[in-house]
Amino acid sequence: KDNQPIDFQYPSHSPSSTFVLVKLGEPAGGGVGKDKDIVAFSNLCTHMGGPLNGSYKSKHKALGPCPLHLTTFDLSRFGMVIAGHATESLPQGRLEVEGDDIYVSGIMGLIYGHQNNPLAVTEL
């Protein structure tokens, strides 16, 4: 359903790495599905790793502000910074659709706190 974010761990064996999946209701950069509006992003701010869980703003298709330094990210435009201290876009999950199933097959960008991204495929 539009604008109802779902948090999930990615990869599933990494509890410190959570992502949010959301159907924005409008086409988005990197979006999948019939309307190209389903996206997934890391829930960790790229500035200092602040938690973004539960901060989705449907009116602006944005995640944030981060509780540490108020960075907000545009989910319709590849997670780019709207405002705040972060200088890097949010890492975006590369999604694949097979029938009614959505899979994360990789990550575009580096998850905060990792030297390299963990590899796994997670069914959502």
Side-chain angles (χ1 to χ4, degrees):
K1 296 181 180 179
D2 288 356
N3 297 308
Q4 293 187 10
I6 300 168
D7 287 340
F8 64 96
Q9 291 180 332
Y10 180 79
S12 57
H13 64 272
S14 181
S16 65
S17 181
T18 66
F19 272 65
V20 61
L21 177 79
V22 63
K23 184 176 185 331
L24 299 175
E26 65 182 48
V32 298
K34 180 181 67 149
D35 300 320
K36 304 291 185 208
D37 64 344
I38 301 170
V39 293
F41 288 91
S42 173
N43 267 323
L44 295 176
C45 179
T46 56
H47 177 237
M48 291 184 69
L52 297 168
N53 307 68
S55 67
Y56 175 67
K57 307 293 186 285
S58 61
K59 179 179 178 182
H60 303 290
K61 310 302 180 200
L63 201 59
C66 173
L68 300 181
H69 297 100
L70 306 178
T71 299
T72 304
F73 300 89
D74 187 340
L75 302 188
S76 68
R77 292 182 172 84
F78 299 100
M80 68 183 247
V81 175
I82 296 171
H85 289 280
T87 58
E88 307 248 350
S89 297
L90 276 180
Q92 184 170 6
R94 189 177 311 113
L95 301 177
E96 296 180 20
V97 178
E98 291 182 18
D100 290 336
D101 296 325
I102 300 173
Y103 296 88
V104 180
S105 62
I107 303 168
M108 296 176 281
L110 185 63
I111 299 172
Y112 182 85
H114 291 265
Q115 293 179 353
N116 51 43
N117 288 328
L119 299 176
V121 174
T122 300
E123 181 180 346
L124 304 174

